[in-house]
């Protein structure tokens, strides 16, 4: 069975990859403002998922 930590950290990776991929597509098209607008929310979602992931058992909070 998958742990909640693995699922949330995997979701963080997918969010970061999606944001960076969308930004790269817009950068290739020459649209810098749209690249920034689509990259930051993906990275912010990745950080949010990583922050809510539970710690390992026995780790100090």
């Amino acid at each position: 069975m998958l742990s909640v930590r693995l699922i949330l950290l995997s979701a963080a990776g997918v969010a970061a990859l999606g944001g960076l991929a969308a930004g790269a597509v817009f950068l290739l098209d020459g649209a810098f403002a749209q690249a920034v607008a689509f990259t930051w929310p993906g990275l912010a979602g990745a950080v949010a998922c990583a922050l809510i992931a539970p710690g390992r058992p026995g780790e100090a909070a």
Side-chain angles (χ1 to χ4, degrees):
M1 187 170 137
L2 292 174
S3 69
V4 175
R5 179 181 171 90
L6 177 62
I7 293 169
L8 285 172
L9 292 180
S10 296
V14 170
L17 183 64
L20 290 174
V25 168
F26 281 107
L27 272 179
L28 287 174
D29 194 34
F32 181 74
Q34 286 83 4
V36 172
F38 279 96
T39 302
W40 286 114
L43 294 177
V47 170
C49 284
L51 285 175
I52 64 172
R56 294 186 183 124
E59 250 184 11

